[in-house]
Amino acid sequence: MSKIEQAKQNKQAKKRNRFIFRTSILVVLFGALLFAVVSNLTAEEDAVVEVGDQAPDFQLEQIATDESSAIQLSDLRGQGVMLNFWGTWCEPCEKEMPYMEQLYPEYKEKGVEILSVNLDTTKLPVENFVDHYNLTFPILYDEHTEVLDTYGIKPIPTTYFIDENGIVVERVLGGLTVEKLRGYLDQIVPEGS
């Protein structure tokens, strides 16, 4: 075999390997995309708590803020409640947290409480996250994922907007902009506020 023929075979082998490598990457990316789409679709279908349902009651320990007591959802009856599920590793969660902090004092005064249920496995990253963003609204720690399971949370962030009677008014999958957040919070301001 001449050197020219061997060079051609080497070149063809490289092309074939490159084709296999690129095809493999495309298959993996397509699989990830398909998984994300199916997860979001089934999350809608498998929702345990839906709009119009009574929000299931729970009690969780408050961490990472000045308060360290437990909060029970039913104790907030008469107020609107934004119930947000998040983790420190979740980029959309990180983006919406400053919006929540920005609007918290205004809506707290109007009778709306923001409860943020963290799903991290340890408390330390949560405390660092809260310090970094100077968050002042209650951060609840769902150590055994009981509330996560009760609400059937799959993608995070997932946010429930609950009215003064404890009824779920909206359920939002994914991150929120400050404009959308304001719109949802306006829906749960108690009457007469």
Side-chain angles (χ1 to χ4, degrees):
M1 182 181 304
S2 72
K3 286 185 177 183
I4 294 174
E5 287 176 355
Q6 187 160 0
K8 281 183 181 179
Q9 284 183 348
N10 286 343
K11 191 174 180 179
Q12 287 178 343
K14 281 184 181 179
K15 277 186 172 180
R16 186 179 57 243
N17 289 342
R18 204 173 20 230
F19 175 76
I20 291 170
F21 179 72
R22 288 178 180 166
T23 303
S24 299
I25 288 175
L26 285 174
V27 167
V28 168
L29 289 175
F30 179 74
L33 178 65
L34 186 63
F35 176 77
V37 169
V38 169
S39 292
N40 277 334
L41 291 176
T42 56
E44 282 290 337
E45 293 170 1
D46 296 342
V48 175
V49 180
E50 297 183 6
V51 171
D53 290 350
Q54 183 79 38
D57 194 20
F58 62 84
Q59 181 174 346
L60 287 175
E61 175 192 1
Q62 189 176 179
I63 63 165
T65 55
D66 293 339
E67 302 292 329
S68 60
S69 59
I71 291 182
Q72 184 149 3
L73 181 64
S74 58
D75 289 345
L76 300 174
R77 192 63 53 88
Q79 299 180 48
V81 176
M82 174 185 164
L83 180 61
N84 174 258
F85 292 86
W86 70 287
T88 57
W89 70 91
C90 162
E91 195 172 311
C93 304
E94 188 172 0
K95 285 184 180 177
E96 70 182 6
M97 285 288 171
Y99 305 144
M100 292 162 58
E101 181 59 34
Q102 178 187 335
L103 298 176
Y104 181 58
E106 175 186 342
Y107 283 90
K108 176 85 175 163
E109 196 167 298
K110 292 179 177 178
V112 175
E113 184 62 80
I114 293 177
L115 299 180
S116 188
V117 178
N118 179 267
L119 306 172
D120 281 48
T121 53
T122 61
K123 295 177 184 177
L124 183 60
V126 184
E127 292 167 354
N128 291 336
F129 186 96
V130 169
D131 286 345
H132 179 74
Y133 288 100
N134 295 317
L135 302 178
T136 58
F137 50 83
I139 307 292
L140 307 177
Y141 190 57
D142 192 12
E143 184 174 11
H144 303 294
T145 68
E146 292 166 11
V147 180
L148 175 89
D149 296 339
T150 299
Y151 278 76
I153 303 300
K154 287 191 178 172
I156 59 168
T158 293
T159 306
Y160 285 88
F161 293 88
I162 302 165
D163 73 9
E164 62 195 276
N165 301 311
I167 304 297
V168 174
V169 173
E170 291 287 348
R171 176 174 169 262
V172 180
L173 305 178
L176 290 162
T177 62
V178 70
E179 294 82 14
K180 287 183 178 177
L181 183 55
R182 182 180 290 281
Y184 289 124
L185 289 171
D186 283 339
Q187 292 182 43
I188 57 171
V189 171
E191 287 184 26
S193 293

